[in-house]
Amino acid sequence: MSTLSVVIVTHGHADVIGASLEALARELTDGDEVVVVDNASPDETPATVRAAHPGARVVETGANLGFPAACNAGARRARGELLVFLNPDAVPQPGWREAIAAPHAEGRGWGAWQALVTSDGGRVVNTRGGVVHFTGIAWAGGAGEPVDAAPADAGGEPGFVSGACLAIPRAEFERLGGFPEEFFLYHEDVDLSLRVRLAGGRLGVAHAARVDHDYEFEKGPAKWRYLERNRWATLIRCYPAALLGLLAPALLATELALIPVSLAGGWARQKLAAWGDVARSLPRLVRERRAVQAQRRVSAGEFARGLTPELDSPYLGAAARSRVLGLALRAYWGAVRLVLRA
């Protein structure tokens, strides 16, 4: 049986971490461990962790390193064969441990996978596998669907696996270089998932492994700065050159379209700041791109198969409902895939 290292990153989670740790204590077996990395919580989170789960290894960073850097710090201290990154407010349900380890134990050949993440007390889907649009926009697949209505094979291989409960063999995580620490927050799970696929790995969803996670998309305008700058960082780092070249007109059109969208949504300043972030980070991103692309084992066409032209996210508003836009995107993507022989 594979040993698990559950890595949880906290920052002011004293009010929710107890439920997750109590559920883990009922699930984990001999040889498993819990590593909690606390990013300088302003509350009593470390003390709460030690009281709720005395066996947990608590790493206090002394500063807010951001989610991906803290995950990497936890992974460096982990001893298990399988890493599971779990959000502090995600509560594993009965049978979770066996189900999340099954893909590794059974040799399914997945490079990384996620649990079925639910919300509203397990009644609705939070994500059954992420979706990645060819412009790099990504969202939670199946969000809001009734759990009982979601088929176990819904959507096939996901575009990305969610960091709310993400499993990956420790050796694979180390080989890929872990999460991109400069992202600080958001999109790091998309970037890691795309690097798994670039290296020839497959992604999956362990539907029998369930965690309940209270999720709210709206977390203030600053979230858009992280999302947009990290979307571009992922495009630059992960997309093969042939694909980037073919998508250049669409990516430019997307940036122009996002100007009125950001103005209407009240996050135009964050969008401008994201452009500045990307411009300043470009030399570093190009260096990182070389390292990422050096691990590529699939063609641009094979990589493109994991992307979609559909904008059917419940978070995208009118764009998701536009038939004209949908037809245009599908036609463009069809032409790209034809050129790539995907």
Side-chain angles (χ1 to χ4, degrees), residues 31-331:
D32 297 339
E33 65 177 354
V34 176
V35 181
V36 177
V37 183
D38 186 73
N39 269 340
S41 284
D43 59 11
E44 298 302 314
T45 296
T48 302
V49 170
R50 292 184 174 100
H53 198 301
R57 301 172 65 194
V58 181
V59 179
E60 296 189 58
T61 64
N64 188 357
L65 305 181
F67 180 75
C71 282
N72 290 348
R76 286 192 293 271
R77 290 164 174 80
R79 297 183 291 253
E81 299 168 72
L82 185 64
L83 297 174
V84 182
F85 298 97
L86 184 71
N87 278 8
D89 57 352
V91 181
Q93 302 302 295
W96 171 85
R97 195 266 179 229
E98 181 179 356
I100 200 67
H104 190 251
E106 297 170 2
R108 295 183 196 175
W110 293 352
W113 57 97
Q114 66 163 81
L116 175 64
V117 185
T118 67
S119 60
D120 194 23
R123 287 182 285 272
V124 300
V125 173
N126 173 212
T127 175
R128 52 172 168 74
V131 182
V132 185
H133 191 263
F134 63 73
T135 58
I137 297 170
W139 60 89
E145 294 177 353
V147 166
D148 294 338
D153 60 349
E157 183 175 359
F160 74 96
V161 290
S162 170
C165 183
L166 187 158
I168 184 170
R170 182 159 58 91
E172 178 72 358
F173 187 76
E174 292 173 352
R175 185 177 71 84
L176 292 172
F179 286 115
E181 298 192 354
E182 297 293 338
F183 281 30
F184 190 79
L185 199 61
Y186 302 123
H187 226 74
E188 67 286 320
D189 48 5
V190 179
D191 183 277
L192 178 64
S193 296
L194 294 186
R195 284 185 284 129
V196 168
R197 292 190 54 247
L198 271 176
R202 293 166 48 219
L203 304 174
V205 180
H207 290 269
R210 296 189 177 187
V211 298
D212 199 56
H213 173 47
D214 288 329
Y215 177 79
E216 293 182 7
F217 180 82
E218 296 297 338
K219 295 182 180 178
K223 179 176 181 178
W224 289 102
R225 178 177 183 176
Y226 291 122
L227 285 172
E228 282 298 287
R229 81 172 190 193
N230 294 344
R231 174 175 70 89
W232 267 99
T234 299
L235 288 169
I236 294 167
R237 285 162 49 92
C238 297
Y239 276 35
L243 180 59
L244 268 181
L246 291 168
L247 289 180
L251 295 173
L252 176 59
T254 299
E255 293 308 293
L256 295 175
L258 284 174
I259 294 173
V261 171
S262 64
L263 285 168
W267 51 276
R269 291 180 62 184
Q270 283 70 35
K271 179 58 180 168
L272 289 172
W275 282 340
D277 291 340
V278 173
R280 287 188 294 272
S281 301
L282 195 56
R284 171 180 57 80
L285 291 172
V286 170
R287 291 193 301 271
E288 292 172 354
R289 173 183 173 78
R290 295 192 190 102
V292 169
Q293 295 300 315
Q295 294 186 316
R296 179 159 70 95
R297 298 295 180 269
V298 299
S299 69
E302 290 172 311
F303 178 81
R305 290 173 195 158
L307 309 176
T308 181
E310 307 295 338
L311 282 175
D312 56 359
S313 167
Y315 305 116
L316 296 178
R321 298 187 296 270
S322 172
R323 291 186 179 181
V324 174
L325 179 60
L327 287 170
L329 290 171
R330 284 190 288 274

Side-chain angles (χ1 to χ4, degrees), residues 21-36:
L21 292 174
E22 289 171 11
L24 281 172
R26 294 190 291 268
E27 290 290 309
L28 299 183
T29 60
D30 291 344
D32 297 339
E33 65 177 354
V34 176
V35 181
V36 177

